[in-house]
Amino acid sequence: MVSAKIVLLLATLLCAGAALASSWEDHDHGHGGHKSWRCARRCEDSPWHQRARCVEQCREEEREKQQEEQGGRHEHEHDHRGDRRGEGSSGDEREQEQGRRPYVFDRRSFRRVVRSEQGSVRALRPFHEASKLLRGIRNYRVAVLEANPRSFVVPSHTDAHCICYVVQGEGVVTTIENGERRSYTIKEGHIFVAPAGAITYLANTDGRKKLVIAKILHTISVPGEFQFFFGPGGRNPESFLSSFSKSIQRAAYKTSSDRLERLFGKRGQDKGVIVRATEEQIRELQRHASEGGHGPHWPLPPFGESHGPYSLLDQRPSIGNQHGQLYEADARSFHDLADHDVSVSFTNITAGSMSAPLFNTRSFKISYVAKGEGSAEIVCPHHHQSQGGERERGKGRRRSEEEEGSEEEEEAGQGYHTIRARLSPGTAFVVPVGHPFVAVASRDSNLELVCFEIHTEKNEKVFLAGADNVLKKLDRVAKALSFAAKAEEVDEVLGARHEKGFLPGPEEERGGRHGGREEREQEEERERRHGGREEREKEEERHGRHGGREEREQEEEREGRHGGRGRREEVVETLLRMATARM
């Protein structure tokens, strides 16, 4: 009798343990646990120096998936509640958030438009929806393709021209256009163009590293909108051929409905847009591919078309020194870009250095952070004007915003608005026409940027510092009349830097952490005093005490003669005002 009870107790415990284990397994599968495990196993096969980055990517993908699932649940709840106020307030919050960050898009701003176990395609929403200030590039979209090692992206075509840059990895890309099939090997630094309507497919031939491609899509059907069309497919991706009536399909392919269902219907391929390929299949694709990466002298435009990728990093940099290098490709060097009025460049800023402040006369600049960390500053008059009421109420006040992956600081000054953003891999930012900007690499790593410039015909890069500083070309009379200093002193400031394109960064120039802290404290003290003076002036205007203000101005002038800011600082400040006033 006792033994029977013991057996019954053990059986109960075993059943409970099995049920608990099953619930844990279901929980792991429901939250991507199985995929996370496989991702971690893949990282173990990576070289030791890449494992930390690989593991971080796995965690990031898991977080993104959980956020999307939570977002889907919230939307589902809103749909059931029918709470219109909730939907409206959420939209207002998003609009206000984007209003504070009109030109900067962190990794979380990208939406997944294609997802599978072997990779994804993420895209920014249309620029004119993100901000009215970006209506000038409403026909362009930014997207990023990530494909796992030894994966295959199934054939498709789009209703947009696609200008692509290989950020990481290597692979094979095939296009079918005008009845001709061309296959090429691609690697990091290659540029290639997939025209609208061309059947395109590619494979990641690397067994360890992801293939990452940043792309600009030039939309031609609906401004700012693009669509993928999958011919080969089945249930996932859905083949557009299955949308034709059965009679049309049978007539077009002269076969039975059952076979058509296996090829194009719900019994067809269901593994997604990006699927796993065997080593033998990868080798077969490689055998059909030719070497890409021709140089700038073949073929000579306009006598031919340069089919195939262009190896940007194998060319000589257009600008280069110890602080950074700039590689550029336009329609003259890569003829495939001629129809799109787009140029592609790669910028590598040395750790602790920065690009020289500059602006473009005709081009919008779209930059994507490939590697490294740093910061960017963009001077924007439009954004200041659009927030005029708020600025009047809070002039002289600094507002900063820190997020997990990015930081933005907004500051009013001299009628312009300065947007400061922290840059990290996956961040994108836009610099409109005529807007002065600068990018700075952190002290710990180089900052690598993939840049697409739109509307490049007759564009000119205008540098505001360094060897090509445009302000040095002002004649002596203009300098004397424009600045609060003699022409000789202005020349001394403008000619202080002899490097071209890239300069020592703020931290490098300060010569160490301690010296940088002291300068920052002095700068903050000056700004605090400046802001306080503005508040006093407003108070005086309200109460009509102009005499007191005049006395204080005389007192400040005396202080400036004895111990205030030097003439050199005033000259620098005037130069910066003039540079931005040229807009």
Side-chain angles (χ1 to χ4, degrees):
M1 186 69 177
V2 176
S3 62
K5 290 183 177 179
I6 293 174
V7 170
L8 181 61
L9 179 61
L10 289 173
T12 304
L13 291 173
L14 286 173
C15 291
L20 184 59
S22 177
S23 67
W24 282 348
E25 185 176 359
D26 291 342
H27 182 271
D28 285 344
H29 280 280
H31 290 78
H34 184 58
K35 293 180 183 177
S36 299
W37 176 80
R38 285 200 300 189
C39 188
R41 285 293 301 272
R42 189 176 71 243
C43 293
E44 291 178 2
D45 297 333
S46 302
W48 66 268
H49 61 281
Q50 295 178 355
R51 288 178 187 172
R53 177 63 180 161
C54 181
V55 170
E56 183 60 30
Q57 286 179 343
C58 290
R59 291 174 179 168
E60 190 171 307
E61 290 174 2
E62 183 65 20
R63 284 195 298 268
E64 288 180 356
K65 184 180 178 185
Q66 291 179 1
Q67 289 173 358
E68 288 180 2
E69 289 175 352
Q70 292 172 0
R73 286 196 295 269
H74 292 325
E75 289 177 8
H76 185 68
E77 290 173 3
H78 278 300
D79 289 342
H80 280 285
R81 292 174 187 165
D83 186 357
R84 291 184 179 273
R85 284 186 306 168
E87 291 173 0
S89 61
S90 176
D92 291 342
E93 288 175 5
R94 284 195 297 269
E95 211 170 291
Q96 290 173 6
E97 173 67 15
Q98 192 59 56
R100 291 194 297 268
R101 312 182 61 217
Y103 301 149
V104 183
F105 307 87
D106 62 19
R107 185 179 175 88
R108 290 171 295 179
S109 302
F110 287 80
R111 301 173 179 176
R112 291 182 187 270
V113 294
V114 169
R115 171 196 286 280
S116 74
E117 290 188 4
Q118 297 300 321
S120 65
V121 176
R122 297 177 293 112
L124 287 177
R125 61 177 173 154
F127 285 116
H128 65 282
E129 292 182 6
S131 173
K132 294 180 180 179
L133 303 176
L134 299 177
R135 287 173 293 185
I137 50 175
R138 62 180 301 173
N139 292 332
Y140 295 85
R141 296 285 297 276
V142 175
V144 179
L145 165 71
E146 293 184 0
N148 287 349
R150 293 199 183 96
S151 61
F152 176 77
V153 182
V154 301
S156 67
H157 72 271
T158 68
D159 56 354
H161 302 298
C162 186
I163 298 97
C164 307
Y165 181 92
V166 182
V167 177
Q168 173 186 292
E170 58 186 36
V172 172
V173 61
T174 301
T175 60
I176 303 175
E177 185 183 12
N178 297 325
E180 186 176 353
R181 185 185 69 206
R182 297 186 179 92
S183 295
Y184 300 95
T185 59
I186 55 173
K187 64 178 182 179
E188 183 175 331
H190 276 189
I191 307 168
F192 64 95
V193 176
I199 305 296
T200 304
Y201 54 96
L202 57 88
N204 181 355
T205 58
D206 194 294
R208 295 178 177 271
K209 190 183 296 184
K210 275 188 176 184
L211 177 64
V212 181
I213 297 176
K215 56 180 76 175
I216 285 287
L217 293 113
H218 182 190
T219 63
I220 57 176
S221 180
V222 179
E225 301 290 341
F226 67 93
Q227 298 291 335
F228 291 102
F229 296 86
F230 297 97
R235 187 170 64 181
N236 181 21
E238 180 183 356
S239 171
F240 60 76
L241 297 172
S242 65
S243 297
F244 288 113
S245 64
K246 297 299 181 184
S247 59
I248 294 295
Q249 292 182 49
R250 287 193 298 269
Y253 297 104
K254 197 178 178 181
T255 190
S256 65
S257 297
D258 184 65
R259 179 176 291 182
L260 290 169
E261 186 69 17
R262 289 200 308 272
L263 287 178
F264 306 135
K266 294 182 178 179
R267 287 189 288 163
Q269 203 267 100
D270 65 349
K271 296 180 181 179
V273 174
I274 307 174
V275 299
R276 181 76 173 179
T278 65
E279 290 188 29
E280 184 178 349
Q281 290 170 329
I282 293 294
R283 284 196 296 268
E284 181 68 20
L285 289 168
Q286 287 177 309
R287 275 197 293 269
H288 293 295
S290 63
E291 291 291 332
H294 56 77
H297 303 298
W298 181 90
L300 292 174
F303 301 106
E305 293 187 0
S306 49
H307 295 296
Y310 178 83
S311 184
L312 181 63
L313 300 185
D314 288 339
Q315 316 306 318
R316 295 183 60 182
S318 55
I319 299 176
N321 57 37
Q322 62 179 332
H323 301 292
Q325 300 83 38
L326 172 65
Y327 300 84
E328 297 178 290
D330 56 19
R332 292 171 296 180
S333 55
F334 185 34
H335 191 71
D336 285 6
L337 298 174
D339 295 332
H340 309 293
D341 198 16
V342 172
S343 67
V344 184
S345 62
F346 177 83
T347 301
N348 180 20
I349 305 176
T350 307
S353 301
M354 70 179 191
S355 63
L358 66 96
F359 64 88
N360 284 303
T361 58
R362 295 172 183 250
S363 295
F364 278 83
K365 187 183 189 72
I366 302 174
S367 298
Y368 176 81
V369 181
K371 295 178 185 177
E373 295 183 343
S375 61
E377 294 190 10
I378 307 169
V379 177
C380 175
H382 309 292
H383 196 55
H384 172 82
Q385 293 165 6
S386 67
Q387 309 240 348
E390 181 181 347
R391 292 299 167 205
E392 286 301 319
R393 290 190 298 271
K395 198 172 183 180
R397 180 185 61 196
R398 183 176 291 182
R399 181 176 69 234
S400 64
E401 172 189 295
E402 282 196 34
E403 297 178 347
E404 193 174 321
S406 68
E407 173 184 296
E408 175 139 352
E409 192 175 292
E410 302 177 3
E411 182 180 50
Q414 306 301 326
Y416 297 92
H417 182 78
T418 304
I419 297 176
R420 293 186 175 92
R422 180 182 297 167
L423 305 180
S424 59
T427 300
F429 64 93
V430 180
V431 183
V433 178
H435 288 49
F437 72 97
V438 64
V440 185
S442 70
R443 293 174 60 91
D444 302 323
S445 64
N446 286 15
L447 180 63
E448 298 183 6
L449 303 173
V450 179
C451 304
F452 302 89
E453 292 188 356
I454 299 171
H455 309 318
T456 58
E457 186 177 359
K458 297 182 180 179
N459 179 63
E460 178 188 356
K461 289 181 173 63
V462 180
F463 288 94
L464 303 171
D468 293 335
N469 185 353
V470 69
L471 299 178
K472 293 195 299 185
K473 299 185 183 300
L474 298 174
D475 56 49
R476 293 179 59 84
V477 174
K479 292 173 184 175
L481 294 173
S482 302
F483 299 111
K486 295 181 179 179
E488 292 77 11
E489 191 171 1
V490 175
D491 289 336
E492 182 183 349
V493 174
L494 296 178
R497 286 290 179 201
H498 304 289
E499 302 91 341
K500 179 178 179 180
F502 300 95
L503 310 173
E507 295 296 329
E508 188 176 341
E509 178 63 22
R510 285 167 182 158
R513 193 175 305 242
H514 179 68
R517 185 174 65 245
E518 288 181 349
E519 287 194 12
R520 281 195 298 273
E521 289 174 353
Q522 293 174 5
E523 183 179 353
E524 289 171 358
E525 176 64 19
R526 286 195 298 269
E527 289 175 352
R528 186 185 62 79
R529 285 160 49 192
H530 181 67
R533 183 175 62 197
E534 286 182 342
E535 291 178 2
R536 288 195 303 270
E537 288 177 356
K538 289 180 180 179
E539 186 70 21
E540 288 167 358
E541 288 177 2
R542 284 195 294 268
H543 295 283
R545 293 202 300 266
H546 296 291
R549 183 176 61 187
E550 290 175 358
E551 291 177 3
R552 257 194 304 277
E553 287 176 353
Q554 293 173 2
E555 182 180 350
E556 288 174 358
E557 186 178 351
R558 287 194 297 272
E559 289 178 356
R561 284 199 299 266
H562 295 300
R565 293 181 297 174
R567 297 279 293 170
R568 187 181 182 87
E569 292 183 7
E570 292 179 1
V571 171
V572 172
E573 209 170 273
T574 307
L575 285 171
L576 292 175
R577 285 200 301 269
M578 182 176 179
T580 51
R582 283 186 87 235
M583 306 302 100

